[in-house]
Amino acid sequence: MINFIDRLSQLIFMFVVVLITIPSNAQAGPSGGQAELNDLTNFPRIEHFEQGSVQVDFPTLDVWPEFQTLTAWLPVEVKLNSDQRPRIGSVYLQAQTRINFEQRTVSISQQEILETRFAAGDASGQVRSLVSRAFEARESIVPLDIILRLLPEDFEVPETNQAVSKLNFAAPQILVSETPLKLLSIDKEPVKAEINGTQLEWVVNTNWNVFYYRPDAQWYVLNGDTWQQNNYLSNGGWTSVGALPDDFDRLALNDKWKAVQHALPARKPVGEPTPFAISLQATELILLDGPPQLKTIGQTGIRYVTNTGSDLFTFNGRWFFLVSGRWFESESLEGKWKNVETLPEAFSNIPSDHARGHVLFSVPGTRQARLALIEAALPHPVTVPKGAGAELQVTWIGEPQFEIIDTTELERGVNTPFQVIRHNNYYYLCLEGAWFFSDSPTGNWKVASQVPDEIYRIPASDPAYNVTFVKVSPQQEQSADVVKYQYSSGYKGSFSTRVSVVYGSGWNYPSRVYRDTKNGPSYWNYGQTYGYNIGYHPVGAFYGGRGGFYSPWWPYGGWGGYGYRGGYPVRSTVTIESPSVNFTQGYDSAWQGPLLTTPGVPSNTGEGTLEKFLPKKQSDGNEEFVKTTKGEAEQAAKVSASSLYASTSLSSNRFSGLNGEIYQRKGEDWHQYSEGNWDTMKAIGQSQTAPVDRPKTETATAKGFVPAHKRTLSRSELDRQELARPEGMDNYAKYRMQQEND
């Protein structure tokens, strides 16, 4: 494995390549609005006063309960005009935080000093006064990616100790193909809807354009730009056609059916399209570009398949496949797959900068998996005016119908695309991360300031499970005209298992078609866990599809997955308009999927990031450092300078210990500041030392001494803190680069 120094040097070099012209200081932005790149606070931050200056270095986080009130130690250096040497000490700080998820930044405001620590001769009243002024009415804006990586190892992730409703880890059907193949997924048995004025029927519960023509009992599938015909809706036997029944010409198609529009009239293809496999159950397709090509990952003993976009490995004679955050194993690629109960420890040794290093976020016990757990628990705030529910319109197909939610005293509305739950003759609507209630299933709706506890007993086997992750915020303002809510990632389909984060519940919820004489038939599909090669993307921390990286074809018919679309109804609707001849696909298509709620384009994960511009080490057994050319370096500066503005934060080279001690790395050694000198920490070595009792200081605030957690100090903890800064900045810069390209 790459040692710590090599890894740190690599990360820092990645930034040096592109640091062409970076301003030396950036002040914190205003408390309102969104943070811009030049609002990020540089560390060290230097404040100048008439009596001297105060330098504030990057914080060492202590606790961050519920991600709201942060306490941290910060190294400070005071230079009085009358002094010949600086006075170095530390500050124990409490502050309020606000996460901006779009910008991936954290605003640290209302900073209150709880304690200061200086050597006895340095702690003068003037020094304390300047330190206090350096934090007074200040706001720091720092990348979220750094803050999360700086959380202490014993940080207790919210919700991970709570009871977790049973997720489904049964393996889906897994197909492996070494030749071009597409996957046509149908949600159980095909559901056909008539198109009025024609003899055509349309299969609504699929991500493909599939039609049935009654007069000759023929099936027609649009495969790319080619129409194919068959007597049976089955694998094989499909024939490309250059003509279609006349009823296809009678279809009045809207803009949401551009693929069908462009394919009419039918044309005989120059070459045959890629064949497809039809699946009526949860299915994953592993698409290889020829026979498996294997490459060993360093000294781990693991080999990965290089000619596929899937995360496919072999180890100790078994195959391992990662999809939707779940690991499956099989004795052969053609054999039966099953859920992996205990993943071999060798997977935790995959280097993080390896081509398959992203799988570490799904390897239990790794710091990456822990980071994913923290991301999944972050509270997303939603604020709703108290009068906002008056205009809400909840539509039903016919009269409202409800069915019992297993193991609860609740009932769920079934013939509506909205998430409506009945409890004790009241109706609760979860919409866009907020709760509303009414005494009627059709409204009038009011903003809910409380929700029945019974709702949070909904099991994962029920399609309404995701609403259990939307809660009324405990931070309410009594006099405000708004109600505050918060939701975690489970609302959008990413669930914590205590040791990792997975996508989707794993359950295949039943879908239905409803018909009424006024509006015609309607269909909606619940979130799908499998079928789109869903993987975790560390840049932005989201689950999204992975494309066929090494193949010129896209093996899926369209985007799939949960696609809650920022909290819109979990169910996606398709409506066939009546009595006109045209048909429409609902805006919340069942197959538009997770990209609607996440940044970037997951199918092209290498695009829009710094990876293609920056040098990196390849950890594939033989480490090779590939330098960029001058032209590539100039291109990197051109496309990423604005994103890397914040990289001046890396210049902060001081660290606070667990009790306010100050450390600094010089070469291979760590040094500790003591009585005006930097002493080499030989006593620390590589092992842990006993907790240090922190004495009460004369500079403690009037509120009294507020102790930090008593954690033992180790060389590895300092190393971890040091690595967290450039690694977090690297991820943040890639995220901003991705945002700019989008």
Side-chain angles (χ1 to χ4, degrees), residues 483-495:
V483 178
K484 296 182 179 181
Y485 305 89
Q486 60 188 37
Y487 67 86
S488 55
S489 68
Y491 182 51
K492 295 187 177 182
S494 296
F495 304 111

Side-chain angles (χ1 to χ4, degrees), residues 296-307:
T296 302
I297 302 178
Q299 305 301 316
T300 64
I302 301 171
R303 294 186 296 170
Y304 74 103
V305 181
T306 62
N307 58 330

Side-chain angles (χ1 to χ4, degrees), residues 646-665:
S647 60
T648 49
S649 296
L650 298 177
S651 61
S652 178
N653 190 35
R654 289 180 184 170
F655 302 79
S656 179
L658 310 173
N659 296 282
E661 318 95 296
I662 307 300
Y663 303 99
Q664 183 172 308
R665 181 190 283 278

Side-chain angles (χ1 to χ4, degrees), residues 279-545:
S279 173
L280 304 180
Q281 59 182 299
T283 302
E284 282 290 345
L285 172 61
I286 301 176
L287 189 61
L288 286 77
D289 192 3
Q293 298 177 16
L294 300 173
K295 202 169 188 178
T296 302
I297 302 178
Q299 305 301 316
T300 64
I302 301 171
R303 294 186 296 170
Y304 74 103
V305 181
T306 62
N307 58 330
T308 180
S310 300
D311 291 320
L312 183 62
F313 306 84
T314 180
F315 179 71
N316 283 350
R318 299 187 67 80
W319 291 93
F320 292 86
F321 173 46
L322 173 65
V323 68
S324 297
R326 294 163 169 85
W327 288 93
F328 302 103
E329 63 178 333
S330 176
E331 295 181 354
S332 69
L333 290 179
E334 298 78 20
K336 184 177 181 180
W337 294 80
K338 66 178 183 179
N339 177 55
V340 176
E341 295 184 359
T342 303
L343 190 69
E345 188 175 350
F347 281 88
S348 64
N349 295 324
I350 296 176
S352 60
D353 57 350
H354 187 268
R356 288 292 186 266
H358 56 264
V359 305
L360 290 170
F361 287 84
S362 297
V363 177
T366 62
R367 61 184 180 85
Q368 290 87 349
R370 179 176 174 274
L371 185 62
L373 287 168
I374 297 174
E375 288 267 11
L378 292 175
H380 295 249
V382 176
T383 302
V384 180
K386 290 183 177 179
E391 298 181 359
L392 283 180
Q393 298 292 324
V394 174
T395 57
W396 298 80
I397 308 301
E399 292 298 318
Q401 301 174 28
F402 290 84
E403 65 182 15
I404 296 175
I405 298 177
D406 288 344
T407 72
T408 74
E409 298 177 359
L410 306 170
E411 294 177 288
R412 172 176 33 81
V414 293
N415 57 329
T416 176
F418 292 85
Q419 291 177 293
V420 180
I421 297 171
R422 180 162 62 189
H423 179 260
N424 287 345
N425 293 323
Y426 276 92
Y427 301 86
Y428 295 86
L429 166 67
C430 187
L431 179 65
E432 297 184 359
W435 282 103
F436 304 85
F437 76 100
S438 173
D439 57 6
S440 167
T442 57
N444 297 323
W445 296 96
K446 299 178 182 179
V447 177
S449 59
Q450 58 184 4
V451 182
D453 292 340
E454 187 72 5
I455 283 178
Y456 299 99
R457 295 183 57 238
I458 296 175
S461 55
D462 190 271
Y465 177 56
N466 74 304
V467 306
T468 66
F469 295 87
V470 180
K471 300 179 180 179
V472 179
S473 172
Q475 307 297 324
Q476 301 290 338
E477 300 175 11
Q478 297 297 328
S479 60
D481 293 328
V482 299
V483 178
K484 296 182 179 181
Y485 305 89
Q486 60 188 37
Y487 67 86
S488 55
S489 68
Y491 182 51
K492 295 187 177 182
S494 296
F495 304 111
S496 169
T497 68
R498 294 195 182 96
V499 295
S500 65
V501 176
V502 300
Y503 180 77
S505 69
W507 296 98
N508 193 5
Y509 307 122
S511 55
R512 299 174 179 176
V513 171
Y514 293 92
R515 306 172 187 269
D516 65 44
T517 56
K518 180 179 179 181
N519 298 311
S522 293
Y523 159 83
W524 48 75
N525 175 272
Y526 292 99
Q528 302 295 311
T529 302
Y530 303 108
Y532 296 90
N533 204 359
I534 299 295
Y536 190 80
H537 296 264
V539 176
F542 66 95
Y543 270 103

Side-chain angles (χ1 to χ4, degrees), residues 166-389:
K166 186 175 178 59
L167 300 170
N168 190 351
F169 289 87
Q173 178 180 337
I174 297 176
L175 303 178
V176 181
S177 178
E178 298 179 2
T179 58
L181 183 67
K182 295 180 180 180
L183 182 63
L184 193 166
S185 296
I186 298 176
D187 187 13
K188 302 180 179 66
E189 294 299 319
V191 177
K192 296 181 292 183
E194 297 179 359
I195 301 176
N196 292 342
T198 75
Q199 295 294 311
L200 288 170
E201 295 177 341
W202 171 45
V203 179
V204 297
N205 57 336
T206 178
N207 55 337
W208 286 52
N209 294 305
V210 181
F211 297 86
Y212 180 74
Y213 189 54
R214 291 192 298 270
D216 59 8
Q218 292 291 306
W219 293 90
Y220 294 88
V221 169
L222 180 58
N223 185 357
D225 295 327
T226 301
W227 289 98
Q228 293 188 287
Q229 175 185 1
N230 199 352
N231 294 331
Y232 301 97
L233 191 60
S234 61
N235 293 331
W238 292 89
T239 303
S240 299
V241 297
L244 295 170
D246 292 341
D247 276 359
F248 277 89
D249 296 330
R250 302 183 61 194
L251 297 177
L253 305 175
N254 59 31
D255 289 340
K256 294 173 184 176
W257 290 93
K258 291 181 180 179
V260 177
Q261 286 180 323
H262 293 162
L264 293 176
R267 296 172 294 275
K268 193 75 173 180
V270 176
E272 285 300 311
T274 302
F276 56 85
I278 297 177
S279 173
L280 304 180
Q281 59 182 299
T283 302
E284 282 290 345
L285 172 61
I286 301 176
L287 189 61
L288 286 77
D289 192 3
Q293 298 177 16
L294 300 173
K295 202 169 188 178
T296 302
I297 302 178
Q299 305 301 316
T300 64
I302 301 171
R303 294 186 296 170
Y304 74 103
V305 181
T306 62
N307 58 330
T308 180
S310 300
D311 291 320
L312 183 62
F313 306 84
T314 180
F315 179 71
N316 283 350
R318 299 187 67 80
W319 291 93
F320 292 86
F321 173 46
L322 173 65
V323 68
S324 297
R326 294 163 169 85
W327 288 93
F328 302 103
E329 63 178 333
S330 176
E331 295 181 354
S332 69
L333 290 179
E334 298 78 20
K336 184 177 181 180
W337 294 80
K338 66 178 183 179
N339 177 55
V340 176
E341 295 184 359
T342 303
L343 190 69
E345 188 175 350
F347 281 88
S348 64
N349 295 324
I350 296 176
S352 60
D353 57 350
H354 187 268
R356 288 292 186 266
H358 56 264
V359 305
L360 290 170
F361 287 84
S362 297
V363 177
T366 62
R367 61 184 180 85
Q368 290 87 349
R370 179 176 174 274
L371 185 62
L373 287 168
I374 297 174
E375 288 267 11
L378 292 175
H380 295 249
V382 176
T383 302
V384 180
K386 290 183 177 179

Side-chain angles (χ1 to χ4, degrees), residues 671-717:
H671 295 253
Q672 181 175 354
Y673 186 79
S674 176
E675 301 296 332
N677 297 305
W678 289 99
D679 299 326
T680 303
M681 295 166 39
K682 294 184 179 180
I684 270 195
Q686 300 292 338
S687 61
Q688 293 186 336
T689 62
V692 178
D693 289 332
R694 184 175 58 196
K696 193 173 183 179
T697 67
E698 59 182 355
T699 57
T701 66
K703 290 188 176 182
F705 172 68
V706 181
H709 282 318
K710 293 286 186 178
R711 287 188 297 270
T712 57
L713 178 66
S714 67
R715 168 71 178 267
S716 63
E717 170 64 17

Side-chain angles (χ1 to χ4, degrees), residues 61-72 92-98 106-112 114 151 155 379 475:
L61 306 190
D62 180 23
V63 293
W64 195 14
E66 303 301 327
F67 308 103
Q68 293 177 352
T69 302
L70 178 72
T71 57
Y92 190 48
L93 187 76
Q94 177 178 289
Q96 299 302 307
T97 62
R98 184 178 67 255
V106 179
S107 168
I108 305 174
S109 61
Q110 301 179 44
Q111 303 179 23
E112 178 185 4
L114 302 178
L151 286 171
F155 177 76
Q475 307 297 324

Side-chain angles (χ1 to χ4, degrees), residues 629-644:
T629 65
K630 179 180 179 181
E632 289 171 334
E634 291 174 351
Q635 176 70 358
K638 177 181 178 181
V639 300
S640 61
S642 60
S643 292
L644 290 173

